[in-house]
């Protein structure tokens, strides 16, 4: 009997061990502020950080292809010089980088007049297809600035709106919701085809999960509880906000991604609202639930410092940070997420 119990115990350990086996992969969302050109040494810092983190997929914002040089080719070549093999394809405004070969790529929402863009790539992990989307959404009609007393298109001072309706009327005049509507339509086809679907991006819009009763009198929300359009559209379509899924307490883990402090840049170039607290979480990674796909962890990638009322402040939150090696190449913080695929 004792031998049987020992065998059963051993089988139990083996089964538990097997249950944990699978393939881990990481996704990094990173606004690189005009390809790192706004910060001395910025491009090299982008390469350094990717070499350090070795994310499986990167969703870039602010790809510009300056001087006719394709950023996709440049970043792939720079990483190859470091002994890392990545794949990419031509895009503008937003971009994608993959450690897995890319089998398909499409433009979902083309950039036109600097109103944002969305691109898609397909790859394969352990025999299962994955569609990764990158989004850099319209920066105009940024109504979360209106709430703080600044026009969300001109950034001139204005009276603070008194109702949620006023705010959303401005917000929905942007093309952010149009872009996400196109994403949802494209993603549904991938979901129907049995693919994993991931979306990373700088949305230029906060989350309805962050502007709640508990935060209405914080961060210059000025008493407003706002169901921000784009994250709510994704929520209603079944997509999961990874950071808020991992850290549901918005008070202990606000997860601010903008504006990041950058010691190499004067404060006046890091803030759009000199007399207000504009800190917000506007960079995201979403996924659609998939059998065997598990969110393991998430972290803010970047400095602990932020800009608040034109002051450099250090966040005293419980957010997990992956701090920079040295030069920080941007005015945003990124998001790094780790998944397990079984």
């Amino acid at each position: 009997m004792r031998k049987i119990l020992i065998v059963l115990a051993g089988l139990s350990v083996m089964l538990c061990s097997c249950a944990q086996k699978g393939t881990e992969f990481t996704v990094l969302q990173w606004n690189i502020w005009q390809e790192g050109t706004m910060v001395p040494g910025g491009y090299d810092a982008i390469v350094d950080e990717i070499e350090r983190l070795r994310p499986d997929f990167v969703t870039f914002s602010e790809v510009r292809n300056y001087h006719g040089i394709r950023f996709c080719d440049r970043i792939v070549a720079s990483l190859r010089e470091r002994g890392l093999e990545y794949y990419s394809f031509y895009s503008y405004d937003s971009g994608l980088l993959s450690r897995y070969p890319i089998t398909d790529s499409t433009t979902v929402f083309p950039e036109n007049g600097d109103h944002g863009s969305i691109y898609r790539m397909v790859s394969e992990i352990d025999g299962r297809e994955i569609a990764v989307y990158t989004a850099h959404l319209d920066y105009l009609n940024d109504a979360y600035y209106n709430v703080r007393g600044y026009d969300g298109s001109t950034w001139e001072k204005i009276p603070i709106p008194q109702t949620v309706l006023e705010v959303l009327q401005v917000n929905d005049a942007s093309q952010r919701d149009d872009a996400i509507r196109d994403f949802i339509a494209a993603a549904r086809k991938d979901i129907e085809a049995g693919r994993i679907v991931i979306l990373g991006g700088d949305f230029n819009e906060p989350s309805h999960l962050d502007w709640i009763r508990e935060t209405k009198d914080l961060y210059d929300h000025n008493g407003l509880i706002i169901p921000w359009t784009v994250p709510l559209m994704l929520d209603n379509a079944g997509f999961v906000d990874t950071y808020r899924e991992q850290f549901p307490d918005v008070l202990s883990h606000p997860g601010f991604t903008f504006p990041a402090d950058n010691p190499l840049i004067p404060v006046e170039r890091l803030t759009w609202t000199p007399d207000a607290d504009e800190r917000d979480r506007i960079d995201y990674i979403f996924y659609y639930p998939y059998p065997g796909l598990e969110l393991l962890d998430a972290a803010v990638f970047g400095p602990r410092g932020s800009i608040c009322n034109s002051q450099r402040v250090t966040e005293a939150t419980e957010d997990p940070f992956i701090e920079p090696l040295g030069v920080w190449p941007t005015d945003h913080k990124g998001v790094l997420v780790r998944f397990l695929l079984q």
Side-chain angles (χ1 to χ4, degrees):
M1 182 66 178
R2 185 181 174 194
K3 288 183 179 179
I4 293 173
L5 289 173
I6 291 171
V7 170
L8 288 174
L11 283 172
S12 177
V13 170
M14 288 175 63
L15 287 171
C16 289
S17 175
C18 289
Q20 293 301 313
K21 287 183 179 178
T23 299
E24 291 185 8
F25 67 92
T26 54
V27 182
L28 171 64
Q29 157 54 28
W30 202 8
N31 181 313
I32 51 174
W33 205 11
Q34 319 297 0
E35 296 182 10
T37 60
M38 305 300 288
V39 179
Y43 176 77
D44 289 338
I46 293 168
V47 178
D48 290 343
E49 292 291 0
I50 293 174
E51 180 185 16
R52 172 174 69 132
L53 298 177
R54 305 194 178 197
D56 292 290
F57 302 100
V58 184
T59 56
F60 287 120
S61 301
E62 300 199 16
V63 169
R64 300 302 181 209
N65 303 311
Y66 289 120
H67 312 298
I69 299 172
R70 291 159 50 110
F71 179 77
C72 58
D73 297 338
R74 185 185 183 198
I75 192 71
V76 165
S78 296
L79 291 166
R80 187 173 292 130
E81 289 174 1
R82 308 283 184 96
L84 299 175
E85 192 66 35
Y86 275 89
Y87 304 88
S88 189
F89 61 93
Y90 179 81
S91 61
Y92 179 81
D93 185 54
S94 51
L96 281 160
L97 192 64
S98 171
R99 294 192 75 181
Y100 294 86
I102 296 171
T103 58
D104 189 24
S105 62
T106 53
T107 303
V108 176
F109 188 82
E111 187 278 334
N112 184 11
D114 207 14
H115 288 289
S117 63
I118 300 179
Y119 294 87
R120 163 187 172 271
M121 57 148 279
V122 176
S123 190
E124 193 174 284
I125 300 177
D126 286 349
R128 282 169 281 189
E129 285 193 313
I130 179 169
V132 182
Y133 291 75
T134 180
H136 182 216
L137 302 185
D138 194 357
Y139 78 101
L140 296 173
N141 295 290
D142 255 0
Y144 69 99
Y145 286 109
N146 293 60
V147 175
R148 289 159 168 135
Y150 288 80
D151 185 282
S153 290
T154 67
W155 289 274
E156 298 293 330
K157 281 193 172 183
I158 59 170
I160 293 171
Q162 298 302 301
T163 68
V164 172
L165 179 60
E166 290 176 75
V167 175
L168 291 180
Q169 283 176 336
V170 173
N171 192 67
D172 295 347
S174 80
Q175 293 186 26
R176 291 186 292 277
D177 55 334
D178 303 285
I180 288 301
R181 200 169 287 111
D182 286 356
F183 159 74
I184 291 171
R188 281 189 180 130
K189 295 177 182 177
D190 283 319
I191 293 164
E192 289 169 3
R195 297 187 182 106
I196 300 164
V197 175
I198 306 285
L199 167 67
D202 167 8
F203 285 9
N204 281 308
E205 186 170 314
S207 174
H208 62 295
L209 300 176
D210 297 351
W211 283 59
I212 57 177
R213 185 177 303 278
E214 289 79 3
T215 60
K216 68 182 180 64
D217 298 314
L218 301 174
Y219 321 127
D220 284 344
H221 290 191
N222 287 306
L224 294 178
I225 300 169
I226 301 178
W228 293 103
T229 305
V230 162
L232 184 57
M233 288 172 66
L234 290 168
D235 194 346
N236 288 339
F239 290 87
V240 178
D241 176 343
T242 55
Y243 197 82
R244 197 49 72 220
E245 175 78 3
Q246 189 73 10
F247 304 112
D249 188 336
V250 71
L251 296 178
S252 62
H253 293 78
F256 300 134
T257 62
F258 187 84
D261 186 16
N262 193 316
L264 298 179
I265 304 298
V267 168
E268 58 268 23
R269 289 179 54 201
L270 295 172
T271 180
W272 295 83
T273 64
D275 298 322
D277 181 356
E278 66 188 296
R279 291 176 296 170
D280 243 313
R281 188 172 66 97
I282 60 173
D283 297 81
Y284 305 89
I285 296 171
F286 281 81
Y287 75 99
Y288 194 84
Y290 179 92
L293 182 65
E294 179 185 352
L295 172 64
L296 294 180
D297 53 48
V300 177
F301 168 48
R304 285 188 175 272
S306 300
I307 304 300
C308 174
N309 295 93
S310 294
Q311 300 296 313
R312 302 181 192 269
V313 299
T314 300
E315 300 296 349
T317 65
E318 296 177 30
D319 294 297
F321 279 87
I322 301 170
E323 298 190 66
L325 283 170
V327 170
W328 185 242
T330 175
D331 56 349
H332 280 247
K333 303 175 192 186
V335 183
L336 183 68
V337 171
R338 185 165 60 101
F339 292 97
L340 174 66
L341 180 60
Q342 294 181 317

